[in-house]
Amino acid sequence: MAYTYKYPRPAVTADCIVITKEAEPKVLLIQRGDQPFKGGWAFPGGFMNMDETTEQCAVRELEEETGLRLSKIQQIGAYSKVDRDPRGRTITVAYLAIVDAPVAVTGPL
């Protein structure tokens, strides 16, 4: 599918914030394997495919990056600071998932 636009278009990403429902909640983070910010900590997430919604993207990226498959997530915000991603103009839609306790996760194979 080819696209030609008169004006530049931003990229869209989706992140999934997973926290535990405990007295002292824990947050699931991944360690970035690629630039930018290689080695830094981040919420699981990534770029949206043309054939998916941001919610589907968040669920897919969470599973790809952690092995965790969740279907109950809730959109909590959109973030669009102009220079937030050095790769280009990127808008992120954030989702929240709450789990009862920590679960075992694995990185990508």
Side-chain angles (χ1 to χ4, degrees), residues 24-79:
E24 291 186 34
K26 295 173 182 62
V27 178
L28 176 63
L29 297 174
I30 58 146
Q31 194 165 20
R32 292 182 57 87
D34 296 317
Q35 294 295 346
F37 314 118
K38 184 176 182 173
W41 295 100
F43 298 120
F47 288 94
M48 183 177 73
N49 294 328
M50 292 300 290
D51 63 345
E52 65 186 353
T53 65
T54 56
E55 183 175 2
Q56 291 167 330
C57 175
V59 168
R60 174 182 55 78
E61 287 287 344
L62 177 64
E63 184 173 15
E64 286 177 4
E65 294 181 355
T66 69
L68 182 58
R69 177 81 178 158
L70 297 176
S71 57
K72 188 174 179 183
I73 63 174
Q74 178 180 345
Q75 184 176 327
I76 58 170
Y79 301 89

Side-chain angles (χ1 to χ4, degrees), residues 94-108:
Y95 288 84
L96 175 66
I98 299 174
V99 295
D100 290 330
V103 292
V105 295
T106 59

Side-chain angles (χ1 to χ4, degrees), residues 79-96:
Y79 301 89
S80 61
K81 184 178 175 188
V82 174
D83 295 327
R84 61 180 298 278
D85 190 327
R87 295 169 291 187
R89 184 73 172 102
T90 306
I91 297 168
T92 295
V93 180
Y95 288 84
L96 175 66

